[in-house]
């Protein structure tokens, strides 16, 4: 596996911010009550993670080790502020939807975690790719979480999309007289669904490990028989 | 014999490192603060323009442009915090006129007793003392339960809950009936989420009464004047 592929695989699955590192749950749980909000926060997070990883990687030679954390926080907060203002000024329609999520990203410790664990020690391209991969890992999980909660909670998908694309509208998936299941929309629902997702990931990983172990035993056994057969009688 | 010299040397290098680190921290702070300040300055006019457009859009939701012909943004007065309206900050009242005659007052109010706290409202009250329309501008009511007070979230798209206040005044709905049905009034509420509806209904009734009572004073003040509550006459 090439280095970049490994970075991508780490971000999307192996070291997934939510499923494996279980970091940054505060904005995750608050915003994942429907698919559109979840994807919006995910996109904003990808932008911030790529830019902060890029900036820290570029400046890493100038940051003394002892004060790296305050400098990282300063840079991340400044970047988020600049992105927030730029969105408000140049992409105002999108800002009306994404705007409330951008300041939330500062509270997402995964941004600081990646800067500290990766960007401070790696080159520009690898760091930017790491930010992108971690962001993608974040967005697919939060999108899945949002979709499941919205479907169970109100029987729809993509509700609220008209705020981003006025010509589109949400899709009713379950019958229109579905009474809804409120707890899925409330904070406890977020914990329930997230718990199931993490359990699912652990199950898949355990299964993969099991298979690998069995293969190895099988291989060893084959090897042993071969050895026995080839031995003189 | 060389020990004191070494300690002195070490101390001076510790001091040097501290000063150097502090200087770097200061430099980073200055550079990134300058970056933020620069972006703020550069985007300020655009942000202000969008905020104004957003305000006009909100006003347009409660008062159709055909109802007035003056420049609303130029014809407003300053409203100091009003407890009756649930406002703890200074706001503005926009005065719509048609052919020079008072047409409607557009102002903000808030219900502080929503299920999850404050519900911000904007409304237009016409010269006859009727609510032209009422809208919720910000709230934290429970998603899927109490958020039907916002027409964007109301499942009844044809006739959202909040539109039942449109074109009503105390001449058609007496003050005692300006309540939700559960409290013996005439306005609907969704079962299981009465608190949100009750908060909006009561706050809008209070705000309407407040505006009707002061209508002439509010229309009469010069533009950009500050409204001061009159002491009740003896």
């Amino acid at each position: 596996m090439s280095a970049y592929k490994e970075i991508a695989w780490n971000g999307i699955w192996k070291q997934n911010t939510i499923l494996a590192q279980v970091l940054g749950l505060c904005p995750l749980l608050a915003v994942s009550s429907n698919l559109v909000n979840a994807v919006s926060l995910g996109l904003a997070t990808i932008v911030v993670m790529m830019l902060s990883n890029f900036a820290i990687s570029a400046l890493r030679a100038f940051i003394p080790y002892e004060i790296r954390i305050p400098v990282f926080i300063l840079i991340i907060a400044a970047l988020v502020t600049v992105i927030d203002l730029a969105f408000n000024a140049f992409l105002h329609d999108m800002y009306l939807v994404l705007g409330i999520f951008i300041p939330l990203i500062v509270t997402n410790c995964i941004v600081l975690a990646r800067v500290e664990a990766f960007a401070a020690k790696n080159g520009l391209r690898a760091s930017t790719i790491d930010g992108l991969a971690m962001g993608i890992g974040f967005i697919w999980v939060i999108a899945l979480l949002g979709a499941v909660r919205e479907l169970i909670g109100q029987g729809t998908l993509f509700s609220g999309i008209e705020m981003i694309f006025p010509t589109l509208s949400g899709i009713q998936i379950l019958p229109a007289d579905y009474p809804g299941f409120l707890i899925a929309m409330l904070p406890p629902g977020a914990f329930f669904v997230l718990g199931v997702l993490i359990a699912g990931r652990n199950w898949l990983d355990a299964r993969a490990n099991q298979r690998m172990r069995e293969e190895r035993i099988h291989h060893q056994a084959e090897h042993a028989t071969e050895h026995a057969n080839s031995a003189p009688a | 014999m060389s020990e004191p010299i070494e300690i002195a040397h070490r101390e001076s290098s510790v001091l040097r490192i501290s000063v150097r680190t502090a200087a770097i921290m200061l430099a980073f702070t200055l550079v990134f603060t300058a970056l933020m300040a620069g972006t703020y300055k550069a985007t300020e006019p655009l942000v202000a323009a969008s905020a104004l457009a957003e305000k006009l859009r909100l006003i347009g939701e409660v008062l159709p442009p055909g109802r007035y012909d003056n420049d609303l943004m130029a014809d407003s007065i300053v409203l100091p915090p009003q407890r009756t309206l649930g406002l703890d900050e200074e706001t503005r009242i926009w005065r719509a006129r048609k052919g020079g005659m008072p047409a409607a007052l557009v102002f903000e109010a808030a219900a502080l007793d929503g299920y999850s706290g404050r519900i911000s409202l904007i409304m237009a009250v016409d010269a006859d003392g009727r609510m032209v329309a009422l809208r919720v501008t910000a709230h934290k009511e429970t998603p899927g339960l109490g958020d039907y007070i916002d027409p964007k979230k109301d499942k009844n798209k044809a006739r959202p809950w909040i539109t039942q206040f449109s074109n009503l005044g105390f001449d058609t709905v007496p003050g005692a009936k300006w309540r939700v049905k559960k409290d013996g009034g005439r306005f609907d509420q969704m079962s299981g989420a009465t608190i949100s509806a009750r908060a909006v209904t009561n706050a809008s009734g209070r705000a309407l009464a407040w505006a009707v009572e002061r209508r002439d004073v509010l229309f009469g003040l010069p533009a950009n004047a500050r409204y001061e509550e009159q002491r009740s006459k003896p």
Side-chain angles (χ1 to χ4, degrees):
Chain A
M1 235 194 282
S2 84
Y4 295 137
K5 248 193 203 153
E6 198 177 333
I7 294 172
W9 179 241
N10 261 339
I12 294 165
W13 183 261
K14 216 170 134 203
Q15 293 277 331
N16 187 290
T17 58
I18 305 169
L19 297 181
Q21 304 183 53
V22 201
L23 276 177
L25 296 190
C26 159
L28 172 85
L29 298 175
V31 177
S32 63
S33 62
N34 69 50
L35 183 55
V36 170
N37 278 0
V39 172
S40 304
L41 176 71
L43 289 175
T45 306
I46 290 182
V47 173
V48 171
M49 289 196 70
M50 284 179 73
L51 280 177
S52 58
N53 265 16
F54 178 85
I56 305 280
S57 178
L59 294 168
R60 70 187 192 278
F62 307 102
I63 304 173
Y65 184 78
E66 297 78 14
I67 54 162
R68 68 194 190 287
I69 300 290
V71 172
F72 293 163
I73 291 175
L74 176 75
I75 294 175
I76 294 169
L79 279 176
V80 172
T81 308
V82 168
I83 293 171
D84 186 60
L85 287 168
F87 257 93
N88 193 351
F90 303 111
L91 297 166
H92 191 73
D93 288 336
M94 205 181 234
Y95 181 78
L96 292 178
V97 185
L98 281 182
I100 49 166
F101 303 133
I102 296 172
L104 267 180
I105 296 170
V106 181
T107 68
N108 194 340
C109 51
I110 192 64
V111 181
L112 183 64
R114 283 330 282 174
V115 156
E116 159 77 357
F118 198 94
K121 298 166 192 150
N122 288 282
L124 271 184
R125 194 186 296 174
S127 297
T128 313
I129 292 173
D130 180 73
L132 176 66
M134 286 289 158
I136 293 173
F138 181 78
I139 199 172
W140 81 257
V141 178
I142 194 176
L144 186 61
L145 193 57
V148 171
R149 288 179 68 191
E150 185 180 346
L151 192 62
I152 297 174
Q154 53 184 39
T156 62
L157 279 181
F158 295 104
S159 76
I161 194 154
E162 63 273 5
M163 286 195 271
I164 306 174
F165 302 107
T167 51
L168 300 178
S169 65
I171 313 164
Q172 188 78 34
I173 303 279
L174 298 179
D177 59 352
Y178 177 66
F181 192 55
L182 186 66
I183 198 148
M185 309 287 283
L186 298 178
F191 282 105
F192 288 139
V193 179
L194 180 64
V196 171
L197 289 182
I198 293 176
R201 189 204 108 99
N202 288 347
W203 178 73
L204 282 176
D205 266 7
R207 205 180 58 162
N209 282 342
Q210 178 74 24
R211 208 170 273 168
M212 227 193 295
R213 209 174 306 133
E214 272 167 14
E215 246 164 49
R216 204 182 302 139
I217 292 168
H218 191 70
H219 199 75
Q220 277 171 356
E222 248 176 25
H223 206 73
T225 13
E226 248 172 47
H227 204 75
N229 287 349
S230 64
Chain B
M1 281 313 264
S2 67
E3 231 171 52
I5 301 169
E6 231 168 59
I7 289 172
H9 184 71
R10 211 180 301 143
E11 267 174 4
S12 85
S13 80
V14 163
L15 186 71
R16 212 166 44 230
I17 290 172
S18 309
V19 170
R20 191 171 152 265
T21 313
I24 293 175
M25 186 75 221
L26 185 68
F28 268 109
T29 311
L30 285 177
V31 168
F32 280 91
T33 309
L35 178 70
M36 281 190 275
T39 315
Y40 178 77
K41 269 285 163 217
T43 55
E44 200 181 13
L46 283 165
V47 170
S50 328
L52 183 68
E54 176 64 16
K55 198 126 247 182
L56 277 173
R57 192 189 61 75
L58 272 180
I59 293 174
E61 278 199 13
V62 292
L63 188 66
R67 298 281 293 253
Y68 60 97
D69 55 14
N70 63 328
D71 179 5
L72 261 192
M73 285 301 119
D75 195 352
S76 68
I77 54 174
V78 178
L79 182 68
Q82 293 291 317
R83 199 179 300 164
T84 326
L85 297 179
L87 299 173
D88 47 17
E89 275 175 20
E90 196 174 276
T91 55
R92 282 187 169 263
I93 300 182
W94 295 274
R95 299 174 300 180
R97 300 172 202 270
K98 187 149 195 176
M101 298 296 289
L105 295 167
V106 180
F107 60 99
E108 291 165 82
L112 304 179
D113 51 355
Y115 189 73
S116 308
R118 185 186 181 87
I119 302 173
S120 302
L121 307 167
I122 187 167
M123 69 193 80
V125 174
D126 71 12
D128 300 326
R130 296 229 173 91
M131 182 85 73
V132 181
L134 172 70
R135 284 289 177 275
V136 170
T137 54
H139 72 87
K140 296 194 280 290
E141 301 305 284
T142 317
L145 196 58
D147 61 353
Y148 64 89
I149 54 173
D150 179 355
K152 282 200 282 289
K153 298 285 170 66
D154 198 330
K155 289 205 178 92
N156 185 350
K157 294 286 174 208
R159 202 176 166 282
W161 178 84
I162 197 105
T163 57
Q164 60 181 328
F165 296 96
S166 301
N167 296 315
L168 293 182
F170 291 130
D171 51 343
T172 44
V173 182
K177 285 275 168 192
W178 198 282
R179 305 192 180 289
V180 289
K181 283 189 176 143
K182 202 171 184 179
D183 298 342
R186 73 156 272 173
F187 298 109
D188 289 323
Q189 75 272 327
M190 306 273 178
S191 56
T194 310
I195 294 173
S196 313
R198 179 186 289 141
V200 172
T201 305
N202 293 349
S204 68
R206 280 196 300 272
L208 181 62
W210 182 91
V212 168
E213 203 174 294
R214 292 158 184 78
R215 184 171 41 191
D216 298 335
V217 181
L218 294 174
F219 271 115
L221 285 171
N224 294 320
R226 194 181 165 85
Y227 171 79
E228 294 296 346
E229 192 80 8
Q230 299 294 310
R231 288 283 142 87
S232 53
K233 288 175 194 121

